[in-house]
Amino acid sequence: MELARKFSETKPSGMVRVFQAIEKMQGVLNLSIGEPDFVTEPDIIEAGAKGARDGFTHYPPLQGYMDVREAACAYWERHHGFKSSPDNVYISVGGLHIPWLAFGALLNPGDEVLLIEPYFTCYDAQIRGNGGVPVYIHTREENNFAPTIDELRAAATPRTRGIILNYPGNPSGRVASLKQLEEIAAFVEERDLFVLSDEIYESMVFNGSHVCFANIPGMKERTLLAAGVSKSHCMTGWRIGYLFAPQNVINTMCVLSSFQTYGVNTLSQKAAAYALNTQDEKVKARAKIFGERMKAVEARLNAMKGVKCHTAEGAFYLFPDISGTGLTSEEFVWQLLNSAKVAVLPGSAFGQTGEGYIRIACTQSMDTLMKSMDKMEEFCRSIL
Ligand code: PMP
């Protein structure tokens, strides 16, 4: 069957190519996938099942059930001091559907959105798919992969409408400092922009506490604060994300979803409401485990020839610089996969800034992580 012309040039990303290769291989130590290895807690599963027994089996309200919107507000107030109202919350099909609907609501054809490299790959396609133009901002590791005000000003044009922030960041695991975020906020005000702040890794910050961008004075009205339960509550398969945003944006997103998904799976919403209200200790305990794994893997990486790994402040990714091996990101990843059966992702899949880096997801047991590091160490020794 003939496909639409827009797909003729669409090739699988560096990330998807690795995922597809692993599917055909046996015995791979897989550090490529960004999802917690822990399964959803049994009481959360029970809350979803109870939702079905209680009769929540009909079409949901477009914006999401009130209880889960209230739970999202309470969670953010409790953890991050961010105050909102359930009227300003939209429940989405995973965190992933938020930018799609938000850009659909906000972008006119040709509007530019600033995309800070290295970035979560999907944003690029989501901006383009909604008629926008991504404008890439190259960043540096020594600056936490956060842009300086000069880098922002150099990238902005009269067509710039918004900027995407993602701290703690995928793929870098890095967190912008409060000072850097305040500088970005001043720029946002100066250029009258909207901000999509993807804070889905808010529960995994290892040094200090998470800074919620919308808490910076003047930013709440301009910010679409995106998060979800996939990472914090180990609920990737339940597909629940949520957004805090101004009312007119939420209303338009509801209209858009009315002909895309017509709301979100009802049982998942009931499970997420329960999860957001009851799991604080478990969320904290898992963050501690991720932090310990990251520390141990970082130490192993820094002992390898040709590899340098900066401490990640959050999320569950390490983003080591492998340029000292003389290989490109892609060469490193494919040679490592084929010779040692360890799967990681090429940094170049996340924009040009990522060239010379690889992404390692610490979403496996300590034992698997250490075995993978043994193999990677041997691989680095063999090529240098
Ligand atoms: N934002 C970021 C930065 C992510 O890394 C991910 C998942 N990898 C998502 C959003 C989407 O998460 P989900 O759709 O599983 O909730």
PDB file of all heavy atoms in Angstrom, residues 41 43-44 71 74-80 202-203 232-233 272-288:
ATOM      1  N   GLU A  41       3.138  -1.586  42.221  1.00  0.00           N
ATOM      2  CA  GLU A  41       2.797  -2.127  43.556  1.00  0.00           C
ATOM      3  C   GLU A  41       1.419  -2.806  43.519  1.00  0.00           C
ATOM      4  O   GLU A  41       0.483  -2.291  42.880  1.00  0.00           O
ATOM      5  CB  GLU A  41       2.750  -0.991  44.586  1.00  0.00           C
ATOM      6  CG  GLU A  41       4.091  -0.344  44.875  1.00  0.00           C
ATOM      7  CD  GLU A  41       5.051  -1.260  45.624  1.00  0.00           C
ATOM      8  OE1 GLU A  41       4.578  -2.186  46.325  1.00  0.00           O
ATOM      9  OE2 GLU A  41       6.266  -1.046  45.507  1.00  0.00           O
ATOM     10  N   ASP A  43      -1.043  -2.968  45.627  1.00  0.00           N
ATOM     11  CA  ASP A  43      -2.226  -2.202  46.065  1.00  0.00           C
ATOM     12  C   ASP A  43      -2.668  -1.198  44.989  1.00  0.00           C
ATOM     13  O   ASP A  43      -3.852  -0.858  44.895  1.00  0.00           O
ATOM     14  CB  ASP A  43      -2.003  -1.525  47.436  1.00  0.00           C
ATOM     15  CG  ASP A  43      -0.722  -0.714  47.525  1.00  0.00           C
ATOM     16  OD1 ASP A  43       0.214  -0.973  46.732  1.00  0.00           O
ATOM     17  OD2 ASP A  43      -0.653   0.191  48.376  1.00  0.00           O
ATOM     18  N   ILE A  44      -1.719  -0.746  44.158  1.00  0.00           N
ATOM     19  CA  ILE A  44      -2.109   0.141  43.044  1.00  0.00           C
ATOM     20  C   ILE A  44      -2.915  -0.663  42.019  1.00  0.00           C
ATOM     21  O   ILE A  44      -3.942  -0.208  41.502  1.00  0.00           O
ATOM     22  CB  ILE A  44      -0.864   0.784  42.379  1.00  0.00           C
ATOM     23  CG1 ILE A  44      -0.067   1.608  43.391  1.00  0.00           C
ATOM     24  CG2 ILE A  44      -1.283   1.632  41.177  1.00  0.00           C
ATOM     25  CD1 ILE A  44       1.193   2.252  42.827  1.00  0.00           C
ATOM     26  N   ALA A  71      -5.719  14.517  43.090  1.00  0.00           N
ATOM     27  CA  ALA A  71      -4.549  13.801  43.612  1.00  0.00           C
ATOM     28  C   ALA A  71      -3.253  14.397  43.035  1.00  0.00           C
ATOM     29  O   ALA A  71      -2.252  14.520  43.744  1.00  0.00           O
ATOM     30  CB  ALA A  71      -4.653  12.317  43.283  1.00  0.00           C
ATOM     31  N   ALA A  74      -2.577  17.615  44.906  1.00  0.00           N
ATOM     32  CA  ALA A  74      -2.113  17.369  46.282  1.00  0.00           C
ATOM     33  C   ALA A  74      -0.666  16.875  46.276  1.00  0.00           C
ATOM     34  O   ALA A  74       0.151  17.288  47.103  1.00  0.00           O
ATOM     35  CB  ALA A  74      -3.033  16.352  46.961  1.00  0.00           C
ATOM     36  N   TYR A  75      -0.342  15.994  45.323  1.00  0.00           N
ATOM     37  CA  TYR A  75       1.023  15.447  45.224  1.00  0.00           C
ATOM     38  C   TYR A  75       2.027  16.569  44.998  1.00  0.00           C
ATOM     39  O   TYR A  75       3.061  16.632  45.658  1.00  0.00           O
ATOM     40  CB  TYR A  75       1.071  14.423  44.082  1.00  0.00           C
ATOM     41  CG  TYR A  75       2.429  13.798  43.847  1.00  0.00           C
ATOM     42  CD1 TYR A  75       2.766  12.583  44.447  1.00  0.00           C
ATOM     43  CD2 TYR A  75       3.382  14.408  43.029  1.00  0.00           C
ATOM     44  CE1 TYR A  75       4.011  11.996  44.232  1.00  0.00           C
ATOM     45  CE2 TYR A  75       4.631  13.836  42.811  1.00  0.00           C
ATOM     46  CZ  TYR A  75       4.929  12.623  43.413  1.00  0.00           C
ATOM     47  OH  TYR A  75       6.176  12.061  43.191  1.00  0.00           O
ATOM     48  N   TRP A  76       1.720  17.480  44.060  1.00  0.00           N
ATOM     49  CA  TRP A  76       2.683  18.554  43.737  1.00  0.00           C
ATOM     50  C   TRP A  76       2.780  19.589  44.845  1.00  0.00           C
ATOM     51  O   TRP A  76       3.834  20.164  45.070  1.00  0.00           O
ATOM     52  CB  TRP A  76       2.354  19.180  42.371  1.00  0.00           C
ATOM     53  CG  TRP A  76       3.019  18.341  41.323  1.00  0.00           C
ATOM     54  CD1 TRP A  76       2.586  17.130  40.878  1.00  0.00           C
ATOM     55  CD2 TRP A  76       4.275  18.583  40.687  1.00  0.00           C
ATOM     56  NE1 TRP A  76       3.489  16.617  39.992  1.00  0.00           N
ATOM     57  CE2 TRP A  76       4.519  17.475  39.840  1.00  0.00           C
ATOM     58  CE3 TRP A  76       5.190  19.624  40.716  1.00  0.00           C
ATOM     59  CZ2 TRP A  76       5.674  17.386  39.057  1.00  0.00           C
ATOM     60  CZ3 TRP A  76       6.338  19.540  39.926  1.00  0.00           C
ATOM     61  CH2 TRP A  76       6.572  18.437  39.118  1.00  0.00           C
ATOM     62  N   GLU A  77       1.680  19.796  45.548  1.00  0.00           N
ATOM     63  CA  GLU A  77       1.755  20.752  46.671  1.00  0.00           C
ATOM     64  C   GLU A  77       2.602  20.148  47.794  1.00  0.00           C
ATOM     65  O   GLU A  77       3.470  20.804  48.351  1.00  0.00           O
ATOM     66  CB  GLU A  77       0.344  21.108  47.161  1.00  0.00           C
ATOM     67  CG  GLU A  77       0.421  22.142  48.272  1.00  0.00           C
ATOM     68  CD  GLU A  77      -0.860  22.922  48.487  1.00  0.00           C
ATOM     69  OE1 GLU A  77      -1.875  22.650  47.833  1.00  0.00           O
ATOM     70  OE2 GLU A  77      -0.820  23.829  49.352  1.00  0.00           O
ATOM     71  N   ARG A  78       2.355  18.861  48.082  1.00  0.00           N
ATOM     72  CA  ARG A  78       3.088  18.165  49.139  1.00  0.00           C
ATOM     73  C   ARG A  78       4.583  18.057  48.819  1.00  0.00           C
ATOM     74  O   ARG A  78       5.421  18.296  49.664  1.00  0.00           O
ATOM     75  CB  ARG A  78       2.497  16.751  49.205  1.00  0.00           C
ATOM     76  CG  ARG A  78       2.516  16.083  50.510  1.00  0.00           C
ATOM     77  CD  ARG A  78       1.536  14.907  50.552  1.00  0.00           C
ATOM     78  NE  ARG A  78       1.777  13.820  49.623  1.00  0.00           N
ATOM     79  CZ  ARG A  78       0.905  13.420  48.700  1.00  0.00           C
ATOM     80  NH1 ARG A  78      -0.265  14.026  48.556  1.00  0.00           N
ATOM     81  NH2 ARG A  78       1.170  12.405  47.900  1.00  0.00           N
ATOM     82  N   HIS A  79       4.926  17.714  47.605  1.00  0.00           N
ATOM     83  CA  HIS A  79       6.328  17.433  47.269  1.00  0.00           C
ATOM     84  C   HIS A  79       7.106  18.657  46.829  1.00  0.00           C
ATOM     85  O   HIS A  79       8.308  18.745  47.063  1.00  0.00           O
ATOM     86  CB  HIS A  79       6.409  16.380  46.162  1.00  0.00           C
ATOM     87  CG  HIS A  79       6.014  15.016  46.617  1.00  0.00           C
ATOM     88  ND1 HIS A  79       6.903  14.103  47.102  1.00  0.00           N
ATOM     89  CD2 HIS A  79       4.797  14.428  46.706  1.00  0.00           C
ATOM     90  CE1 HIS A  79       6.276  12.998  47.456  1.00  0.00           C
ATOM     91  NE2 HIS A  79       4.981  13.173  47.232  1.00  0.00           N
ATOM     92  N   HIS A  80       6.449  19.579  46.140  1.00  0.00           N
ATOM     93  CA  HIS A  80       7.200  20.671  45.517  1.00  0.00           C
ATOM     94  C   HIS A  80       6.651  22.055  45.841  1.00  0.00           C
ATOM     95  O   HIS A  80       7.100  23.047  45.266  1.00  0.00           O
ATOM     96  CB  HIS A  80       7.227  20.469  43.987  1.00  0.00           C
ATOM     97  CG  HIS A  80       7.710  19.103  43.592  1.00  0.00           C
ATOM     98  ND1 HIS A  80       8.937  18.612  43.967  1.00  0.00           N
ATOM     99  CD2 HIS A  80       7.110  18.102  42.898  1.00  0.00           C
ATOM    100  CE1 HIS A  80       9.087  17.372  43.508  1.00  0.00           C
ATOM    101  NE2 HIS A  80       7.985  17.048  42.866  1.00  0.00           N
ATOM    102  N   GLU A 202      10.653  14.298  38.324  1.00  0.00           N
ATOM    103  CA  GLU A 202      10.705  15.109  39.547  1.00  0.00           C
ATOM    104  C   GLU A 202      11.028  14.325  40.817  1.00  0.00           C
ATOM    105  O   GLU A 202      11.614  14.853  41.736  1.00  0.00           O
ATOM    106  CB  GLU A 202       9.389  15.877  39.749  1.00  0.00           C
ATOM    107  CG  GLU A 202       8.080  15.074  39.613  1.00  0.00           C
ATOM    108  CD  GLU A 202       7.697  14.154  40.762  1.00  0.00           C
ATOM    109  OE1 GLU A 202       8.021  14.483  41.910  1.00  0.00           O
ATOM    110  OE2 GLU A 202       7.055  13.107  40.492  1.00  0.00           O
ATOM    111  N   SER A 203      10.646  13.050  40.855  1.00  0.00           N
ATOM    112  CA  SER A 203      10.828  12.286  42.100  1.00  0.00           C
ATOM    113  C   SER A 203      12.247  11.757  42.248  1.00  0.00           C
ATOM    114  O   SER A 203      12.580  11.198  43.278  1.00  0.00           O
ATOM    115  CB  SER A 203       9.838  11.124  42.150  1.00  0.00           C
ATOM    116  OG  SER A 203      10.169  10.162  41.168  1.00  0.00           O
ATOM    117  N   SER A 232       7.767   7.740  38.352  1.00  0.00           N
ATOM    118  CA  SER A 232       7.720   7.851  39.813  1.00  0.00           C
ATOM    119  C   SER A 232       7.036   6.657  40.465  1.00  0.00           C
ATOM    120  O   SER A 232       7.438   6.202  41.520  1.00  0.00           O
ATOM    121  CB  SER A 232       6.988   9.141  40.213  1.00  0.00           C
ATOM    122  OG  SER A 232       5.711   9.186  39.606  1.00  0.00           O
ATOM    123  N   HIS A 233       5.980   6.132  39.829  1.00  0.00           N
ATOM    124  CA  HIS A 233       5.194   5.063  40.441  1.00  0.00           C
ATOM    125  C   HIS A 233       5.290   3.743  39.666  1.00  0.00           C
ATOM    126  O   HIS A 233       4.471   2.847  39.893  1.00  0.00           O
ATOM    127  CB  HIS A 233       3.728   5.515  40.585  1.00  0.00           C
ATOM    128  CG  HIS A 233       3.548   6.657  41.545  1.00  0.00           C
ATOM    129  ND1 HIS A 233       3.878   7.952  41.216  1.00  0.00           N
ATOM    130  CD2 HIS A 233       3.139   6.685  42.830  1.00  0.00           C
ATOM    131  CE1 HIS A 233       3.644   8.737  42.262  1.00  0.00           C
ATOM    132  NE2 HIS A 233       3.207   8.000  43.252  1.00  0.00           N
ATOM    133  N   ALA A 272      -4.066   5.505  39.223  1.00  0.00           N
ATOM    134  CA  ALA A 272      -3.151   6.641  39.375  1.00  0.00           C
ATOM    135  C   ALA A 272      -3.573   7.553  40.519  1.00  0.00           C
ATOM    136  O   ALA A 272      -2.729   8.072  41.263  1.00  0.00           O
ATOM    137  CB  ALA A 272      -3.084   7.437  38.066  1.00  0.00           C
ATOM    138  N   ALA A 273      -4.897   7.737  40.682  1.00  0.00           N
ATOM    139  CA  ALA A 273      -5.384   8.576  41.791  1.00  0.00           C
ATOM    140  C   ALA A 273      -4.916   7.978  43.112  1.00  0.00           C
ATOM    141  O   ALA A 273      -4.388   8.663  43.990  1.00  0.00           O
ATOM    142  CB  ALA A 273      -6.916   8.672  41.746  1.00  0.00           C
ATOM    143  N   TYR A 274      -5.098   6.656  43.232  1.00  0.00           N
ATOM    144  CA  TYR A 274      -4.672   5.966  44.452  1.00  0.00           C
ATOM    145  C   TYR A 274      -3.154   6.096  44.625  1.00  0.00           C
ATOM    146  O   TYR A 274      -2.659   6.406  45.712  1.00  0.00           O
ATOM    147  CB  TYR A 274      -5.097   4.490  44.361  1.00  0.00           C
ATOM    148  CG  TYR A 274      -4.586   3.654  45.503  1.00  0.00           C
ATOM    149  CD1 TYR A 274      -5.291   3.567  46.702  1.00  0.00           C
ATOM    150  CD2 TYR A 274      -3.376   2.963  45.387  1.00  0.00           C
ATOM    151  CE1 TYR A 274      -4.805   2.807  47.763  1.00  0.00           C
ATOM    152  CE2 TYR A 274      -2.880   2.205  46.446  1.00  0.00           C
ATOM    153  CZ  TYR A 274      -3.600   2.134  47.628  1.00  0.00           C
ATOM    154  OH  TYR A 274      -3.113   1.386  48.677  1.00  0.00           O
ATOM    155  N   ALA A 275      -2.425   5.868  43.552  1.00  0.00           N
ATOM    156  CA  ALA A 275      -0.951   5.888  43.612  1.00  0.00           C
ATOM    157  C   ALA A 275      -0.439   7.260  44.067  1.00  0.00           C
ATOM    158  O   ALA A 275       0.418   7.356  44.949  1.00  0.00           O
ATOM    159  CB  ALA A 275      -0.371   5.541  42.241  1.00  0.00           C
ATOM    160  N   LEU A 276      -0.992   8.309  43.486  1.00  0.00           N
ATOM    161  CA  LEU A 276      -0.505   9.664  43.825  1.00  0.00           C
ATOM    162  C   LEU A 276      -0.783  10.012  45.287  1.00  0.00           C
ATOM    163  O   LEU A 276      -0.056  10.786  45.901  1.00  0.00           O
ATOM    164  CB  LEU A 276      -1.156  10.704  42.893  1.00  0.00           C
ATOM    165  CG  LEU A 276      -0.610  10.712  41.463  1.00  0.00           C
ATOM    166  CD1 LEU A 276      -1.551  11.470  40.526  1.00  0.00           C
ATOM    167  CD2 LEU A 276       0.791  11.319  41.401  1.00  0.00           C
ATOM    168  N   ASN A 277      -1.842   9.406  45.843  1.00  0.00           N
ATOM    169  CA  ASN A 277      -2.223   9.739  47.226  1.00  0.00           C
ATOM    170  C   ASN A 277      -1.528   8.906  48.292  1.00  0.00           C
ATOM    171  O   ASN A 277      -1.533   9.292  49.455  1.00  0.00           O
ATOM    172  CB  ASN A 277      -3.745   9.544  47.401  1.00  0.00           C
ATOM    173  CG  ASN A 277      -4.528  10.691  46.787  1.00  0.00           C
ATOM    174  OD1 ASN A 277      -4.041  11.815  46.707  1.00  0.00           O
ATOM    175  ND2 ASN A 277      -5.737  10.407  46.329  1.00  0.00           N
ATOM    176  N   THR A 278      -0.935   7.760  47.908  1.00  0.00           N
ATOM    177  CA  THR A 278      -0.561   6.802  48.973  1.00  0.00           C
ATOM    178  C   THR A 278       0.865   6.267  48.949  1.00  0.00           C
ATOM    179  O   THR A 278       1.209   5.458  49.804  1.00  0.00           O
ATOM    180  CB  THR A 278      -1.491   5.558  48.896  1.00  0.00           C
ATOM    181  OG1 THR A 278      -1.307   4.961  47.598  1.00  0.00           O
ATOM    182  CG2 THR A 278      -2.947   5.900  49.108  1.00  0.00           C
ATOM    183  N   GLN A 279       1.695   6.668  47.997  1.00  0.00           N
ATOM    184  CA  GLN A 279       2.953   5.917  47.818  1.00  0.00           C
ATOM    185  C   GLN A 279       4.216   6.737  48.103  1.00  0.00           C
ATOM    186  O   GLN A 279       5.307   6.360  47.649  1.00  0.00           O
ATOM    187  CB  GLN A 279       3.023   5.404  46.361  1.00  0.00           C
ATOM    188  CG  GLN A 279       1.830   4.603  45.924  1.00  0.00           C
ATOM    189  CD  GLN A 279       1.834   3.186  46.460  1.00  0.00           C
ATOM    190  OE1 GLN A 279       2.816   2.467  46.327  1.00  0.00           O
ATOM    191  NE2 GLN A 279       0.741   2.785  47.090  1.00  0.00           N
ATOM    192  N   ASP A 280       4.112   7.817  48.848  1.00  0.00           N
ATOM    193  CA  ASP A 280       5.277   8.713  48.984  1.00  0.00           C
ATOM    194  C   ASP A 280       6.534   7.997  49.471  1.00  0.00           C
ATOM    195  O   ASP A 280       7.629   8.231  48.960  1.00  0.00           O
ATOM    196  CB  ASP A 280       4.948   9.866  49.946  1.00  0.00           C
ATOM    197  CG  ASP A 280       3.930  10.822  49.337  1.00  0.00           C
ATOM    198  OD1 ASP A 280       3.518  10.597  48.177  1.00  0.00           O
ATOM    199  OD2 ASP A 280       3.551  11.791  50.024  1.00  0.00           O
ATOM    200  N   GLU A 281       6.375   7.122  50.466  1.00  0.00           N
ATOM    201  CA  GLU A 281       7.556   6.446  51.031  1.00  0.00           C
ATOM    202  C   GLU A 281       8.206   5.531  50.000  1.00  0.00           C
ATOM    203  O   GLU A 281       9.427   5.450  49.902  1.00  0.00           O
ATOM    204  CB  GLU A 281       7.172   5.647  52.290  1.00  0.00           C
ATOM    205  CG  GLU A 281       6.878   6.531  53.495  1.00  0.00           C
ATOM    206  CD  GLU A 281       7.971   7.582  53.757  1.00  0.00           C
ATOM    207  OE1 GLU A 281       9.156   7.220  53.766  1.00  0.00           O
ATOM    208  OE2 GLU A 281       7.621   8.776  53.923  1.00  0.00           O
ATOM    209  N   LYS A 282       7.363   4.839  49.238  1.00  0.00           N
ATOM    210  CA  LYS A 282       7.907   3.903  48.229  1.00  0.00           C
ATOM    211  C   LYS A 282       8.597   4.661  47.093  1.00  0.00           C
ATOM    212  O   LYS A 282       9.630   4.231  46.582  1.00  0.00           O
ATOM    213  CB  LYS A 282       6.803   3.002  47.689  1.00  0.00           C
ATOM    214  CG  LYS A 282       6.424   1.965  48.727  1.00  0.00           C
ATOM    215  CD  LYS A 282       5.374   1.016  48.248  1.00  0.00           C
ATOM    216  CE  LYS A 282       5.064   0.036  49.372  1.00  0.00           C
ATOM    217  NZ  LYS A 282       3.657  -0.261  49.486  1.00  0.00           N
ATOM    218  N   VAL A 283       8.021   5.804  46.719  1.00  0.00           N
ATOM    219  CA  VAL A 283       8.632   6.625  45.665  1.00  0.00           C
ATOM    220  C   VAL A 283      10.036   7.061  46.123  1.00  0.00           C
ATOM    221  O   VAL A 283      11.015   6.981  45.374  1.00  0.00           O
ATOM    222  CB  VAL A 283       7.741   7.853  45.349  1.00  0.00           C
ATOM    223  CG1 VAL A 283       8.449   8.862  44.458  1.00  0.00           C
ATOM    224  CG2 VAL A 283       6.433   7.407  44.691  1.00  0.00           C
ATOM    225  N   LYS A 284      10.104   7.465  47.384  1.00  0.00           N
ATOM    226  CA  LYS A 284      11.378   7.923  47.951  1.00  0.00           C
ATOM    227  C   LYS A 284      12.395   6.773  48.031  1.00  0.00           C
ATOM    228  O   LYS A 284      13.567   6.933  47.685  1.00  0.00           O
ATOM    229  CB  LYS A 284      11.101   8.447  49.372  1.00  0.00           C
ATOM    230  CG  LYS A 284      12.012   9.562  49.795  1.00  0.00           C
ATOM    231  CD  LYS A 284      11.408  10.246  50.989  1.00  0.00           C
ATOM    232  CE  LYS A 284      12.437  10.431  52.075  1.00  0.00           C
ATOM    233  NZ  LYS A 284      11.832  10.852  53.331  1.00  0.00           N
ATOM    234  N   ALA A 285      11.910   5.614  48.455  1.00  0.00           N
ATOM    235  CA  ALA A 285      12.809   4.458  48.607  1.00  0.00           C
ATOM    236  C   ALA A 285      13.378   4.039  47.251  1.00  0.00           C
ATOM    237  O   ALA A 285      14.560   3.712  47.136  1.00  0.00           O
ATOM    238  CB  ALA A 285      12.054   3.298  49.251  1.00  0.00           C
ATOM    239  N   ARG A 286      12.545   4.090  46.215  1.00  0.00           N
ATOM    240  CA  ARG A 286      13.039   3.683  44.889  1.00  0.00           C
ATOM    241  C   ARG A 286      14.034   4.705  44.354  1.00  0.00           C
ATOM    242  O   ARG A 286      15.035   4.338  43.737  1.00  0.00           O
ATOM    243  CB  ARG A 286      11.869   3.505  43.908  1.00  0.00           C
ATOM    244  CG  ARG A 286      11.172   2.162  44.052  1.00  0.00           C
ATOM    245  CD  ARG A 286      10.236   1.929  42.898  1.00  0.00           C
ATOM    246  NE  ARG A 286       9.195   2.940  42.852  1.00  0.00           N
ATOM    247  CZ  ARG A 286       7.965   2.814  43.353  1.00  0.00           C
ATOM    248  NH1 ARG A 286       7.606   1.691  43.913  1.00  0.00           N
ATOM    249  NH2 ARG A 286       7.098   3.800  43.262  1.00  0.00           N
ATOM    250  N   ALA A 287      13.765   5.990  44.628  1.00  0.00           N
ATOM    251  CA  ALA A 287      14.713   7.032  44.167  1.00  0.00           C
ATOM    252  C   ALA A 287      16.082   6.776  44.793  1.00  0.00           C
ATOM    253  O   ALA A 287      17.115   6.951  44.148  1.00  0.00           O
ATOM    254  CB  ALA A 287      14.186   8.407  44.534  1.00  0.00           C
ATOM    255  N   LYS A 288      16.081   6.343  46.052  1.00  0.00           N
ATOM    256  CA  LYS A 288      17.347   6.065  46.743  1.00  0.00           C
ATOM    257  C   LYS A 288      18.078   4.911  46.025  1.00  0.00           C
ATOM    258  O   LYS A 288      19.291   4.977  45.800  1.00  0.00           O
ATOM    259  CB  LYS A 288      17.039   5.710  48.207  1.00  0.00           C
ATOM    260  CG  LYS A 288      18.251   5.628  49.078  1.00  0.00           C
ATOM    261  CD  LYS A 288      17.848   5.688  50.557  1.00  0.00           C
ATOM    262  CE  LYS A 288      19.031   5.355  51.440  1.00  0.00           C
ATOM    263  NZ  LYS A 288      19.189   3.928  51.671  1.00  0.00           N
TER     264      LYS A 288
END
